[in-house]
Amino acid sequence: MEERWIKHYSSFHRILLVGEGDFSFSLCLAEAFGSASNIVASSLDSYDELIMKYKEANSNLDCLKNKGAFVLHGVDATKMKHRSDLGKQKFDRIIFNLPHAGFHGQEKLPHVIRQFHHPFLATSRLHRELLRGFFRNACGMLQKNGEIHVSHKTTSPYSEWKIEDLAAENSLMLIECSDFKIEDYPGYKHKRGDGSRCDEPFSLGKCMTFKFTFQEIPVLTEQHSTSFDRQLPLCRFTHMNDVPLYTGLTSQAHITNECNRIFGRYLNHVEETFGSTSYDVRGSLNDAMRLGFEQYIREGHGRPLSGYIDILEELKHRSILRSQWLIRMLSVLDMQQ
């Protein structure tokens, strides 16, 4: 059978889609593949709710089923791993497009943004809890080297959801951010999904697909490499969508990609030497900072130093998240003693 691709997705991938609206995205993939036998498509709405909300849902579902898709309704993304018809399956790609916990007014309005009266939860605790629960469930349903894809608006207030932090809580690491363009998916129609205008589209604006994969917990042994030398090891981060940015960094997604690209080798080396009592942390860190700066400057004449500072801030942020995760893991191990 010939492999077929549409954007990030292959007909050879086993794909789970959650939070579908009128199932037009699932059908778009099926049309591109020529079959839907590799697709499990699900919605939170029941079948009866779907038919009432979306005028094209019934025809889309019929087409999907005729192409061999397995379709499920009433699937809560925060509890899906406990379903007998879904929880034991493993997938190469798990997709959640434009996650949203429901409309509570225009989210740009201050009283909606601050509905929980806490500055850190500026956009909405409901949305963050939806994604937190989704990541907690999805990470246990991945095949080895599988990926979780979340397409998400990146402008305020959506940027305040901090989905990378929520993913990191479940040992998921970001491997790529790429532009999400509706024209890349012929036939896909994004819907509001709630209220009297549920079947209407909404302004998509700046939107990215965030790709996460499971970060393995390093094994503590004494047999680790202790040399960092003058060259860093090869980097696993080989799927960056962005080319080097010569005109400065313009978004958090670009900063994340640049941090992965420049310091991915160092981060890999840290994992490979984790737990070694003879590891020269200071020496390897100094080498990484020096080589990273040289690479940043070398790649483009006149690149602003502020861009490199942004990358260092991202690296610091990741280090803090990693430390918090390690503390939690050690606490769990301590309680098990």
Side-chain angles (χ1 to χ4, degrees):
M1 180 183 297
E2 179 185 0
E3 184 178 18
R4 297 185 181 183
W5 283 85
I6 176 170
K7 198 61 178 176
H8 315 292
Y9 310 110
S10 161
S11 57
F12 288 1
H13 288 151
R14 181 154 176 75
I15 300 172
L16 168 65
L17 299 104
V18 303
E20 283 287 83
D22 66 355
F23 284 81
S24 58
F25 190 86
S26 297
L27 183 57
C28 167
L29 299 188
E31 295 283 4
F33 298 154
S35 168
S37 59
N38 62 321
I39 293 174
V40 177
S42 68
S43 66
L44 177 62
D45 293 319
S46 67
Y47 175 78
D48 290 339
E49 289 170 332
L50 279 173
I51 302 308
M52 291 181 62
K53 290 170 69 172
Y54 308 112
K55 63 183 180 181
E56 295 183 6
N58 198 34
S59 61
N60 289 344
L61 287 169
D62 285 343
C63 289
L64 273 172
K65 292 174 182 176
N66 288 337
K67 290 181 177 295
F70 183 47
V71 176
L72 293 169
H73 303 295
V75 176
D76 184 341
T78 67
K79 301 176 182 177
M80 60 185 178
K81 69 179 181 181
H82 301 298
R83 291 179 60 106
S84 59
D85 54 3
L86 188 60
K88 293 182 180 180
Q89 299 189 51
K90 299 291 183 180
F91 299 91
D92 300 298
R93 299 291 184 268
I94 300 178
I95 305 169
F96 199 169
N97 286 327
L98 306 169
H100 204 279
F103 288 93
H104 306 277
Q106 295 184 30
E107 291 177 283
K108 64 183 179 181
L109 298 178
H111 77 278
V112 175
I113 292 174
R114 295 178 175 82
Q115 61 181 303
F116 292 99
H117 310 290
H118 193 300
F120 182 70
L121 302 177
T123 45
S124 172
R125 185 170 59 193
L126 290 176
H127 301 313
R128 285 175 54 83
E129 286 304 313
L130 168 62
L131 277 167
R132 177 178 282 115
F134 164 68
F135 285 131
R136 185 183 304 119
N137 280 255
C139 67
M141 300 171 66
L142 283 180
Q143 297 273 21
K144 186 177 181 181
N145 300 320
E147 298 176 9
I148 295 171
H149 292 187
V150 178
S151 294
H152 180 59
K153 289 186 172 187
T154 54
T155 53
S156 181
Y158 305 96
S159 57
E160 298 300 320
W161 296 13
K162 300 187 183 300
I163 66 173
E164 293 171 55
D165 294 0
L166 300 176
E169 291 177 10
N170 294 281
S171 300
L172 293 167
M173 64 180 180
L174 182 70
I175 56 174
E176 182 184 356
C177 284
S178 63
D179 290 333
F180 180 83
K181 298 178 181 179
I182 195 167
E183 56 266 28
D184 290 333
Y185 302 98
Y188 173 47
K189 300 176 182 179
H190 58 292
K191 304 291 186 178
R192 295 179 64 84
D194 201 7
S196 59
R197 301 165 58 196
C198 58
D199 201 23
E200 296 181 12
F202 57 90
S203 176
L204 200 57
K206 182 64 175 176
C207 189
M208 306 286 288
T209 296
F210 293 75
K211 299 181 182 181
F212 301 95
T213 192
F214 190 72
Q215 186 170 2
E216 296 290 345
I217 300 174
V219 179
L220 298 177
T221 71
E222 291 294 330
Q223 299 177 348
H224 291 290
S225 170
T226 59
S227 62
F228 193 64
D229 299 323
R230 308 304 290 179
Q231 296 295 323
L232 294 168
L234 292 176
C235 176
R236 285 199 306 270
F237 295 99
T238 57
H239 303 288
M240 293 300 101
N241 178 257
D242 293 281
V243 297
L245 305 173
Y246 299 120
T247 57
L249 305 178
T250 58
S251 72
Q252 182 58 46
H254 287 158
I255 293 171
T256 297
N257 279 359
E258 284 287 84
C259 185
N260 283 343
R261 190 175 60 80
I262 291 176
F263 289 112
R265 302 172 184 175
Y266 166 68
L267 296 172
N268 292 347
H269 185 70
V270 168
E271 288 194 9
E272 292 166 2
T273 57
F274 185 79
S276 173
T277 57
S278 57
Y279 178 50
D280 182 8
V281 176
R282 178 179 296 181
S284 66
L285 180 59
N286 287 341
D287 276 351
M289 296 298 102
R290 176 182 58 78
L291 291 170
F293 179 74
E294 290 176 356
Q295 179 180 348
Y296 177 82
I297 295 298
R298 184 175 63 249
E299 288 175 342
H301 179 69
R303 297 185 83 184
L305 291 179
S306 60
Y308 187 67
I309 293 173
D310 288 337
I311 293 172
L312 292 181
E313 287 293 335
E314 172 70 9
L315 187 64
K316 176 184 176 182
H317 176 64
R318 290 184 178 209
S319 178
I320 292 172
L321 288 177
R322 182 66 177 173
S323 296
Q324 292 172 346
W325 170 82
L326 181 58
I327 290 171
R328 290 195 300 270
M329 293 302 300
L330 291 174
S331 298
V332 170
L333 292 174
D334 185 57
M335 288 187 295
Q336 293 175 348
Q337 298 295 325

